[in-house]
């Protein structure tokens, strides 16, 4: 079983639509990270959420950490083709700084 | 400078070849990582170096051999690879502040652009 369940795994929408990506777990985490990865590039950190109930905004992206710190969501308002990419949630697990990723959400925004 | 560089960007090798992937960072980070990523899948951790010492090996086959010559450099030596080893190999680094009150390190990892490897 996956430590982080991410959904949906694929999403194809038109420019201007809104979308939400979910990252769920039965475990409690002290923090959670969201990355975006474009084809042929490494993942780039978008945000780290650390407090239960926390909401962070990054332009048209809104990130929320669940009150119980077991889940998180990423909401994109008025998606643009430049938002296309693989979105990954991740947590640090156990010792050694091991980063565990969700399965990823492949987002395609068509003009 | 928050850049992690990787060379080469692309690599094609035969199953009998020996090649090396290189990673470099100048952020003063003391933890460095190798990940393997298949298409449309999340990265999977292979190795972690902390203060130039190997701290995690995720049961990676011995045909992959990591090396950390100094705090800025990380290599991955490849020998006798299989076609199924074709993937994007990502390097990452983080500060490695160590344990805080027994909690796992939670530090931002900065990723390089990766080396796209094809094994024929």
């Amino acid at each position: 079983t996956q430590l982080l369940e991410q959904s949906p795994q694929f999403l194809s929408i038109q420019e201007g639509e809104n979308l939400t990506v979910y990252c769920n777990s039965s475990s409690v985490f002290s923090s959670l990270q969201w990355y975006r990865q474009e084809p042929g590039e490494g993942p780039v950190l978008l945000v780290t959420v650390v407090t239960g109930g926390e909401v962070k905004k990054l332009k048209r992206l809104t990130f929320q950490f669940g009150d119980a710190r077991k889940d998180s969501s990423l909401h994109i308002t008025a998606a643009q083709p430049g938002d296309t990419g693989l979105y990954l949630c991740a947590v640090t697990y156990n010792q050694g700084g091991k980063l565990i990723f969700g399965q990823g959400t492949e987002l395609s925004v068509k003009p | 400078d928050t850049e992690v560089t990787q060379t080469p960007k692309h690599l094609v090798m035969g199953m009998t070849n020996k090649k090396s992937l290189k990673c470099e960072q100048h952020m003063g980070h003391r933890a460095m990582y190798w990940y393997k990523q298949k298409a449309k899948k999340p990265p999977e951790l292979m190795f972690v170096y902390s203060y130039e010492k190997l701290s995690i090996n995720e049961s990676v086959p011995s045909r992959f051999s990591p090396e950390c010559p100094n705090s800025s450099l990380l290599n991955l030596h490849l020998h006798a690879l299989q076609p199924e080893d074709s993937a994007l190999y990502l390097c990452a680094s983080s500060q490695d502040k160590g344990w805080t009150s027994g909690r796992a390190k939670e530090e931002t990892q900065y990723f390089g652009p990766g080396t796209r490897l094809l094994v024929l």
Side-chain angles (χ1 to χ4, degrees), chain A residues 15-34:
Chain A
E15 182 176 3
E17 292 184 22
N18 301 334
L19 67 115
T20 302
V21 178
Y22 299 93
C23 181
N24 297 314
S25 178
S26 56
S27 299
V28 177
F29 303 106
S30 52
S31 68
L32 184 144
Q33 301 175 356
W34 284 95

Side-chain angles (χ1 to χ4, degrees), chain B residues 70-89:
Chain B
N70 60 56
S71 60
S72 299
L73 293 173
L74 185 66
N75 299 322
L76 186 62
H77 302 298
L78 314 173
H79 174 53
L81 294 194
Q82 303 296 310
E84 59 264 29
D85 296 322
S86 299
L88 181 68
Y89 287 84

Side-chain angles (χ1 to χ4, degrees), chain A residues 9-10 30-31 33 35 37 39-45 48 86 88 92-99 101-104 106, chain B residues 9 33 35 37 40-45 48 55-56 58 88 90 99 103-114 116:
Chain A
Q9 291 192 27
F10 300 96
S30 52
S31 68
Q33 301 175 356
Y35 289 83
Q37 184 177 19
E41 299 294 330
V44 175
L45 181 68
T48 300
L86 179 67
L88 297 155
T92 303
Y93 186 69
N94 283 339
Q95 59 186 348
K98 180 174 177 174
L99 201 60
F101 290 90
Q103 302 100 313
E106 187 78 34
Chain B
K9 194 160 176 63
Y33 312 78
Y35 289 84
Q37 186 179 26
K40 302 195 188 302
K41 297 291 186 184
E44 295 178 351
L45 184 67
V48 180
S55 60
I56 293 180
E58 289 288 297
L88 181 68
L90 294 162
W99 290 82
R103 287 171 55 185
K105 293 180 290 188
E106 292 166 359
E107 301 170 344
T108 299
Q109 292 188 21
Y110 295 87
F111 285 83
R116 177 76 58 188

